[in-house]
Amino acid sequence: MNKQLLFVKRPIGDADATTWELASNPIPEIEEGQLLIKQHYVSLDPAMRGWMNNSKSYIAPMEIGSVMRAGSVGEVIASKNPDFQVGQYVAGIGGVQQYAVTDGQGYYPVDPKMAPLPTYIGTLGMTGMTAYFGITEVGKIKEGDVVLVSGAAGAVGSIVGQVAKIKGCTVVGIAGGADKCKYVVEELGFDTCIDYKNENVATKLKEYCPKGIDVYFDNVGGDILDIALTRLRRHARIVICGAISQYNNKTAIKGPSNYLSLLVNRASMQGMVVFDYADRYKEGALQLGTWMAEGKLKSREAIYEGIENFPETYNRLFTGDKKGKLVLKVIE
Ligand SMILES: NC(=O)c1ccc[n+]([C@@H]2O[C@H](COP(=O)([O-])OP(=O)(O)OC[C@H]3O[C@@H](n4cnc5c(N)ncnc54)[C@H](OP(=O)(O)O)[C@@H]3O)[C@@H](O)[C@H]2O)c1
């Protein structure tokens, strides 16, 4: 049988246990051109909250009754597709279920001997690609830049800051809680970190970046984005990667009021969607993998177990109760 998590109710505000239902269905037979994947791990992403809304976005909204959309990694256990062999490991968008049937579109092979499987949906997957292309191509970092990163102890932010350090930047993180800030500085090597839950972000930012910031990599939006706007240097770049502080809003999201700082500082603010770099993922993964092998880049996954524990695990994205990339193991 295939345990699946079905998306059954569009949430207003926070998603909760009523948003999903666990189902158990027979594992389907594959047809010509298809393959069957035993999915070991699924990826939990803040973007999931946006996919639940019935509104226009960079990807179609999820249909009610569908398997919850998610990145996944697993083993091919049957194949009638010449591009995939039984025993091969692959990553793709398999959804929150134990077995996925697919025609292989969007799937690519991964090697568990090179890195643990969860890393392929974290640093060597979509998360790492977001961080790498976001900070290098959109943030256009160069040596000597002062870079500010929110969500600094999270999946994307932790990689962004480390890449910026490798490239010779001064890096300031923003994260929730003293423990996370300690992790960001002592283990990830950021220069400093602001605990937005217990410190005054504006005051600390002035102290840590007396001459202002060249790049702000924004994962959270809201008040922190507005504060960052007040500290821009001339020709600064703001990368709009996400706005997790706004995803569960029941009313309109809060936009920045300090945007005229862009004008004064001849600065720019640009949105990015990782899928636009799909044809360069290999290049990104090769670079990040090389840095990992050289000991220059740390990858951390917070792995939880049990498909039935999806709702409470998902919630950790919003409470912040985890460090690094959030992953759920859905089958032995
Ligand atoms: N544009 C793209 O293509 C793309 C691709 C992937 C991800 N993203 C975006 O990148 C961002 C980070 O994603 P991720 O996968 O790396 O998630 P993550 O950072 O691993 O997890 C989310 C983190 O956000 C923080 N957070 C939660 N609520 C917050 C709030 N109200 N204010 C400030 N921080 C809050 C929490 O950390 P604390 O404990 O520090 O609060 C939590 O750990 C998200 O906005 C996501 O949507 C965009």
Side-chain angles (χ1 to χ4, degrees), residues 46 130 154-156 176 180 196 219-220 241-242 245 247 272 274 317 322:
T130 305
V156 173
K180 280 199 178 178
Y196 77 92
N219 285 314
V220 305
C241 176
S245 74
Y247 292 171
M272 66 98 45
V274 64
L317 290 166
K322 57 101 196 150

Side-chain angles (χ1 to χ4, degrees), residues 205-285:
L205 202 51
K206 209 168 177 182
E207 180 185 332
Y208 295 151
C209 309
K211 292 183 181 159
I213 54 178
D214 298 292
V215 178
Y216 172 45
F217 193 100
D218 188 22
N219 285 314
V220 305
D223 292 337
I224 292 177
L225 169 59
D226 232 355
I227 294 168
L229 275 163
T230 65
R231 300 295 308 160
L232 300 185
R233 283 170 101 166
R234 196 173 271 206
H235 303 302
R237 288 83 69 197
I238 296 183
V239 183
I240 301 295
C241 176
I244 193 166
S245 74
Q246 305 298 304
Y247 292 171
N248 289 321
N249 282 11
K250 290 184 181 160
T251 51
I253 70 163
K254 184 179 182 295
S257 56
N258 296 326
Y259 76 95
L260 281 183
S261 174
L262 299 171
L263 181 157
V264 174
N265 295 294
R266 292 79 160 168
S268 64
M269 183 150 97
Q270 188 182 332
M272 66 98 45
V273 173
V274 64
F275 301 139
D276 294 346
Y277 298 89
D279 59 351
R280 294 180 61 192
Y281 285 173
K282 249 189 197 159
E283 170 198 332

Side-chain angles (χ1 to χ4, degrees), residues 64-258:
I64 294 292
S66 63
V67 172
M68 178 68 204
R69 184 185 289 154
S72 57
V73 63
E75 184 184 359
V76 177
I77 56 169
S79 178
K80 290 186 181 174
N81 181 321
D83 294 335
F84 296 92
Q85 280 74 50
V86 170
Q88 196 176 25
Y89 285 83
V90 292
I93 311 278
V96 185
Q97 56 183 339
Q98 294 177 315
Y99 296 91
V101 172
T102 166
D103 60 6
Q105 232 192 338
Y107 280 84
Y108 53 91
V110 301
D111 185 353
K113 291 195 208 84
M114 300 289 285
L117 283 182
T119 310
Y120 288 106
I121 46 177
T123 305
L124 296 178
M126 219 83 88
T127 299
M129 300 310 115
T130 305
Y132 179 72
F133 291 110
I135 195 63
T136 57
E137 296 289 323
V138 186
K140 294 186 176 62
I141 42 168
K142 52 185 188 323
E143 198 177 340
D145 277 350
V146 175
V147 176
L148 177 69
V149 187
S150 54
V156 173
S158 60
I159 304 301
V160 167
Q162 291 184 86
V163 169
K165 280 307 297 175
I166 291 169
K167 297 276 184 186
C169 304
T170 297
V171 182
V172 178
I174 301 179
D179 176 52
K180 280 199 178 178
C181 278
K182 191 167 183 270
Y183 163 69
V184 164
V185 173
E186 292 184 5
E187 290 187 45
L188 302 180
F190 287 38
D191 294 279
T192 42
C193 183
I194 301 168
D195 169 5
Y196 77 92
K197 288 186 174 166
N198 298 294
E199 294 180 314
N200 182 306
V201 178
T203 308
K204 284 286 164 191
L205 202 51
K206 209 168 177 182
E207 180 185 332
Y208 295 151
C209 309
K211 292 183 181 159
I213 54 178
D214 298 292
V215 178
Y216 172 45
F217 193 100
D218 188 22
N219 285 314
V220 305
D223 292 337
I224 292 177
L225 169 59
D226 232 355
I227 294 168
L229 275 163
T230 65
R231 300 295 308 160
L232 300 185
R233 283 170 101 166
R234 196 173 271 206
H235 303 302
R237 288 83 69 197
I238 296 183
V239 183
I240 301 295
C241 176
I244 193 166
S245 74
Q246 305 298 304
Y247 292 171
N248 289 321
N249 282 11
K250 290 184 181 160
T251 51
I253 70 163
K254 184 179 182 295
S257 56
N258 296 326

